[in-house]
Amino acid sequence: MTAKIRPSKGAPYARILGVGGYRPTRVVPNEVILEHIDSSDEWIRSRSGIASRHWAGPDETVAEMSLEAAGKAIADAGISASDIDAVVVATVSHFMQTPAVATEIAHRIGAGKPAAFDVSAGCAGFTYGLTLAKSMVVDGSAGHVLVIGVERLSDLTDKEDRATAFLFGDGAGAVVVGPSQVPAIGPAVWGSEGDKAETIKQTVPWDLYRDARPDEIRFPAITQEGQAVFRWAVYEMAKVAQEALDAAGITADQLDAFIPHQANMRIIDSMIKALKLPDHVAVARDIETTGNTSAASIPLAMERLLATGAAKSGDTALVIGFGAGLVYAATVVTLP
């Protein structure tokens, strides 16, 4: 007996239809960070470009922040939650190993019974999710896909580590990806360099922390080899970004916006120079007041560019995420 195959929902292309973001209510300036490390506001700003970040309160969980961002993205897309056929959540800070937080979000937004799963790809997680969503819409397995990048990195920050204590923030950003009659999400240029995995990692695995006495091992946190990561991002990610432009068939002067992962202001400035971006290109610099929010950084930065009018609907933007793994993903999109 032959199984019945449902007619495909596939579209010629896919696009971002809406975007939403959520930043926790607590704003944490550098002065608070300096209570735990021997440094200065000037040093933090010069090294990273960060003046403040948002840290989540007890009730601002990964799920709750995601729901806030998702609701805004769905409304911005002009659809209802029942139209969502898949939910993809990029995060490294949801501490429940299973089930995926995507399943809780799908249920609580009232999406029915969509496909739902989490993606662990560090700071490239959102761009990975965006690429997966595009494929689902085009191949017909989903009509609309909700992609969320969310982090509570304050839970994984060693506040006494001078190298990382000032870097990380919390928040959630979301987009809805749906059908399009014209190209609006370009080919993905993505990959990994696992030989460099030690440069950004969790200090100890959960099982080692479980089996040790509290006085033997500190709670797991994110650590990184700052100089090695900086060199890799500056020299290698500019090449990946250029490959994404080439794959989309455009040049840097045809861009309207550049939305890189908000890792470090100096990295952003170096990539601008390497790509020879003209002055008219709006550049996301959300890191100054949001910090590094890993998987949430690109959608949060996208939302802010649009909300402030620095970029507008229909603009062509280059997005690139890169981080722990080391993994990366870049693509060119039309802004919602």
Side-chain angles (χ1 to χ4, degrees), residues 16-334:
I16 299 174
L17 300 174
V19 61
Y22 178 80
R23 292 171 175 81
T25 56
R26 183 188 177 193
V27 176
V28 179
N30 288 340
E31 287 73 18
V32 173
I33 306 298
L34 295 173
E35 294 173 4
H36 304 283
I37 60 172
D38 180 16
S39 187
S40 68
D41 177 63
E42 180 183 4
W43 187 88
I44 293 173
R45 289 174 186 256
S46 65
R47 296 281 293 182
S48 66
I50 299 172
S52 62
R53 72 288 292 148
H54 295 255
W55 281 354
D59 297 331
E60 292 170 312
T61 64
V62 164
E64 294 299 334
M65 291 190 292
S66 295
L67 288 166
E68 292 287 341
K72 294 176 183 177
I74 292 169
D76 192 45
I79 64 171
S80 66
S82 61
D83 295 317
I84 300 294
D85 300 304
V87 178
V88 182
V89 177
T91 186
V92 298
S93 50
H94 176 56
F95 287 172
M96 288 287 289
Q97 193 72 36
T98 192
V101 72
T103 60
E104 177 185 348
I105 294 164
H107 170 68
R108 292 180 62 188
I109 64 173
K113 299 180 180 179
F117 58 94
D118 295 352
V119 173
S120 178
C123 303
F126 172 78
T127 321
Y128 270 50
L130 181 64
T131 300
L132 293 171
K134 170 193 172 183
S135 297
M136 284 187 271
V137 170
V138 172
D139 75 15
S141 60
H144 294 89
V145 183
L146 175 64
V147 182
I148 301 170
V150 57
E151 303 290 6
R152 267 184 62 116
L153 293 181
S154 57
D155 291 334
L156 286 169
T157 297
D158 181 348
K159 295 175 176 59
E160 297 178 359
D161 179 4
R162 189 173 185 270
T164 62
F166 59 89
L167 284 176
F168 303 118
D170 302 336
V175 299
V176 172
V177 177
S180 175
Q181 295 301 309
V182 296
I185 301 177
V189 177
W190 56 352
S192 65
E193 297 185 34
D195 59 313
K196 301 178 181 65
E198 292 295 305
T199 56
I200 306 175
K201 64 179 183 179
Q202 186 170 304
T203 49
V204 295
W206 297 112
D207 59 344
L208 185 59
Y209 179 78
R210 175 198 64 195
D211 297 335
R213 297 196 313 268
D215 61 336
E216 291 179 323
I217 298 178
R218 295 173 68 92
F219 188 78
I222 298 173
T223 185
Q224 69 175 29
E225 298 173 16
Q227 287 302 313
V229 173
F230 181 86
R231 288 192 298 270
W232 175 77
V234 167
Y235 295 110
E236 298 302 323
M237 291 306 97
K239 298 176 187 176
V240 171
Q242 183 60 56
E243 288 179 32
L245 291 175
D246 295 341
I250 67 171
T251 57
D253 61 349
Q254 293 175 289
L255 283 175
D256 299 302
F258 178 45
I259 310 176
H261 164 51
Q262 303 293 291
N264 183 297
M265 196 75 81
R266 292 189 300 153
I267 291 175
I268 294 172
D269 288 337
S270 296
M271 293 181 72
I272 292 169
K273 183 177 180 180
L275 290 167
K276 298 181 173 61
L277 294 184
D279 291 341
H280 76 261
V281 176
V283 178
R285 297 183 182 277
D286 197 41
I287 189 171
E288 182 179 4
T289 56
T290 306
N292 179 342
T293 55
S294 188
S297 77
I298 289 175
L300 279 173
M302 181 184 295
E303 184 229 20
R304 176 159 283 174
L305 276 185
L306 290 166
T308 60
K312 63 183 185 299
S313 175
D315 278 356
T316 299
L318 169 63
V319 300
I320 178 169
F322 48 86
L326 293 171
V327 297
Y328 54 87
T331 188
V332 174
V333 304
T334 300

